Amino acid sequence: MADFINAIGILVSPYCLVMMLLGGLIGLILGAIPGLSGAMAITIILPLTFAMDSNVAIAMLISIWVGSCSGGFIGSILLGIPGTPSSLSTCYDGYAMTKKGEVTRALSAGTVANFMGTVPSILIAMAACPVISSLAVKMGPWEYFSLGLMAITLVAGMSKGRMMKGFIAAAMGLFITQVGYAPISSTPRFTFGSYYLAGGFNMVCVLTGLFAGAMIMGDYAKGETGAAGTFTGTIGKFHLKVKDLTGNIMNIIRSFLIGLGIGFLPGMGAALSNVVAYTVEKNNSKHPEEFGNGCVDGVIAPEVANNASVGGAIIPMIALGIPGDGTTALLLGGLTIHGIEAGPLMQRNYPVFVSMIFMAAIFAAVIALFVEIMGIRAFPLLLKAPYHYLYPIILVLSLTGVYTNANNMFALYMTMVFTGVGLWMAYAGIPSTPFILAYVLGSTLETNFRKAVSFSRGDMLMFFKRPVSCILLLIVIITVVRPYLHPLLKKVKTDNR
């Protein structure tokens, strides 16, 4: 309890509150604008937080994350265009309600659903992390290597039917972690005698190039100028009917559990939970014919689920040091930059800091709720922001942050290189999430592999002799071979009929 009191003391300081409010607004705005996202907002702000106190910096990044998760439904409801992929299913009934003249009801329901998904999931994460951490502490390097490999494999394997491209992305991410001095042995690798490459590729350069730089240059090449649509209706004051909540109690519970569970699984994230929760609610509804025609149930279900994924994704990030999705991979990178090592020992080594992360997420949810209630009439203005003003500002902030972080021009050159890599990946259809996850986990993966081999005196079978490690590796093998075996099994089953 003392740790939470100290954490609250940090968060209620005027400076921290202002930065969290600013972060929440940035996340909400970029989450609401189609094409932008909270991940890009974190990428932009991350290098600018380098000189901040670690507590304030991470609290601000958490606020951006929660704000972007909450803001994505605005574009879905007003334009029928999801602000972020995590609000895709909200379009179906949210936009239909707008066309029926129930835009205020839809926005009000989405606002409350966001809050009801975020806060309980954080409370559950607060209770679950110590238990999972206490179990994880008993694991050795064999289990940690297998766990990291499983996380990367699951993300690559779930790359929307492009499993091979997902593994190519993961291999690229792992490869660039080989540049610099090797862990344990400190042998220089791929440095070519350059002082700048001795420490490997700067995380800020990689993230800024892949997210901000590649997205801006790609959209500029496509001639993107703004959201493809304009809201012309009127929005009243925040108002939510009590029956919209009381009539959706089971819907809220189901969607919350779906979001929490999917958020916990590496690589799944809010986008999947949004779709699954909508589908499950439609199948369980007493009036499924209303879905897609402006049913408030179809707004509440996906918005509760995608925000419940926040708490689900925090659990593996803190307890295991494994990011639950692309955004938490960026947050894990932020922790690394500020000298905080996530994992089973994090709660023991940084108890106040961990408590601060949980409380910051709750504070951010409250901030998002307050801003959305008070500013509901201003939502259409967010969608009118012209990209030709936004993109230069974002680009200048990004490059300024990169230079401030590294204090040399080489970092800017590397950012441009990774911008080119990001553009090539987008052109080739190679997903960025496996790349980022492999890049963030690469050093940990290699360190644990080297330790495991050393401790077992070169016995590679030890990875399979230890039960937990064996189970995790079997999941890896099943994930890889399943897409190839499934058609064969289906063919055999068909032939036997």
Side-chain angles (χ1 to χ4, degrees):
M1 183 58 71
D3 294 334
F4 284 102
I5 293 174
N6 292 333
I8 292 173
I10 294 170
L11 295 176
V12 297
S13 65
Y15 176 54
C16 191
L17 281 177
V18 169
M19 298 310 292
M20 286 187 67
L21 179 60
L22 179 62
L25 287 172
I26 292 173
L28 194 148
I29 291 170
L30 293 189
I33 299 174
L36 306 184
S37 66
M40 195 184 76
I42 291 175
T43 306
I44 298 167
I45 301 298
L46 183 58
L48 302 180
T49 66
F50 189 73
M52 290 184 183
D53 175 77
S54 297
N55 293 309
V56 177
I58 300 302
M60 184 179 185
L61 295 177
I62 291 289
S63 296
I64 293 174
W65 180 30
V66 174
S68 66
C69 288
S70 299
F73 78 105
I74 296 174
S76 298
I77 292 175
L78 297 185
L79 300 179
I81 306 171
T84 61
S86 61
S87 291
L88 175 64
S89 296
T90 311
C91 293
Y92 304 146
D93 284 283
Y95 189 52
M97 291 180 72
T98 296
K99 292 189 289 187
K100 288 170 56 178
E102 297 182 333
V103 61
T104 303
R105 183 187 179 195
L107 290 172
S108 300
T111 297
V112 174
N114 287 333
F115 184 79
M116 295 179 72
T118 304
V119 174
S121 70
I122 298 300
L123 295 176
I124 290 176
M126 289 167 60
C129 279
V131 177
I132 296 175
S133 295
S134 64
L135 295 175
V137 166
K138 300 176 182 178
M139 297 194 305
W142 301 270
E143 287 79 13
Y144 280 120
F145 169 79
S146 301
L147 181 63
L149 185 63
M150 184 196 72
I152 294 172
T153 304
L154 285 176
V155 173
M158 298 294 177
S159 300
K160 299 179 181 178
R162 301 173 298 172
M163 189 178 75
M164 185 55 67
K165 291 185 177 181
F167 281 114
I168 291 173
M172 291 170 60
L174 289 174
F175 175 74
I176 65 172
T177 64
Q178 302 303 300
V179 177
Y181 286 100
I184 302 178
S185 65
S186 297
T187 304
R189 303 179 302 196
F190 305 108
T191 59
F192 306 104
S194 172
Y195 165 81
Y196 296 110
L197 292 176
F201 289 114
N202 188 301
M203 182 174 291
V204 174
C205 298
V206 176
L207 299 182
T208 301
L210 282 177
F211 279 92
M215 193 212 71
I216 290 171
M217 298 303 293
D219 282 356
Y220 177 77
K222 295 175 185 176
E224 296 285 350
T225 58
T230 305
F231 175 74
T232 56
T234 57
I235 301 176
K237 292 182 179 180
F238 175 88
H239 177 70
L240 182 64
K241 298 177 181 178
V242 176
K243 69 176 183 179
D244 286 345
L245 290 180
T246 56
N248 278 282
I249 293 176
M250 290 307 299
N251 176 11
I252 292 170
I253 294 174
R254 269 195 302 266
S255 301
F256 175 80
L257 294 176
I258 289 170
L260 186 69
I262 291 178
F264 179 79
L265 299 174
M268 303 302 178
L272 179 61
S273 65
N274 179 273
V275 175
V276 172
Y278 182 87
T279 304
V280 169
E281 181 54 29
K282 182 178 180 180
N283 291 338
N284 285 277
S285 176
K286 295 179 180 178
H287 41 82
E289 71 283 351
E290 295 182 13
F291 278 71
N293 296 312
C295 178
V296 73
D297 303 14
V299 173
I300 292 175
E303 288 305 309
V304 168
N306 62 22
N307 283 267
S309 296
V310 171
I314 281 182
I315 296 174
M317 183 183 78
I318 291 178
L320 302 173
I322 301 292
D325 56 17
T327 307
T328 46
L330 298 176
L331 289 173
L332 198 60
L335 291 173
T336 303
I337 288 173
H338 284 275
I340 306 296
E341 185 177 354
L345 297 179
M346 185 177 179
Q347 290 193 295
R348 190 186 72 181
N349 297 338
Y350 313 100
V352 176
F353 188 82
V354 172
S355 300
M356 185 276 300
I357 290 177
F358 291 132
M359 298 308 298
I362 293 175
F363 274 42
V366 174
I367 289 172
L369 178 68
F370 177 77
V371 171
E372 289 170 0
I373 289 175
M374 300 303 294
I376 190 171
R377 290 183 170 179
F379 285 170
L381 299 178
L382 301 180
L383 306 176
K384 293 181 180 180
Y387 287 3
H388 61 274
Y389 290 137
L390 281 176
Y391 282 171
I393 296 172
I394 292 171
L395 198 59
V396 169
L397 283 175
S398 300
L399 296 179
T400 300
V402 169
Y403 185 81
T404 302
N405 175 258
N407 287 319
N408 60 65
M409 289 298 296
F410 184 80
L412 293 179
Y413 300 147
M414 285 297 97
T415 302
M416 294 176 188
V417 169
F418 281 105
T419 297
V421 171
L423 287 171
W424 173 79
M425 289 173 65
Y427 175 78
I430 297 175
S432 61
T433 300
F435 181 101
I436 293 298
L437 188 62
Y439 170 67
V440 170
L441 294 178
S443 296
T444 303
L445 206 66
E446 183 181 1
T447 301
N448 283 297
F449 180 77
R450 284 171 171 258
K451 286 181 179 179
V453 174
S454 176
F455 293 165
S456 60
R457 299 182 181 275
D459 183 8
M460 302 296 288
L461 291 177
M462 186 60 72
F463 286 101
F464 291 94
K465 291 177 182 178
R466 297 175 68 94
V468 175
S469 176
C470 182
I471 292 171
L472 295 174
L473 289 178
L474 286 175
I475 294 174
V476 171
I477 294 171
I478 291 170
T479 302
V480 174
V481 303
R482 183 178 176 275
Y484 300 100
L485 290 179
H486 184 69
L488 294 176
L489 294 174
K490 188 176 181 180
K491 183 180 179 181
V492 170
K493 187 177 179 180
T494 304
D495 293 341
N496 292 333
R497 288 180 178 177

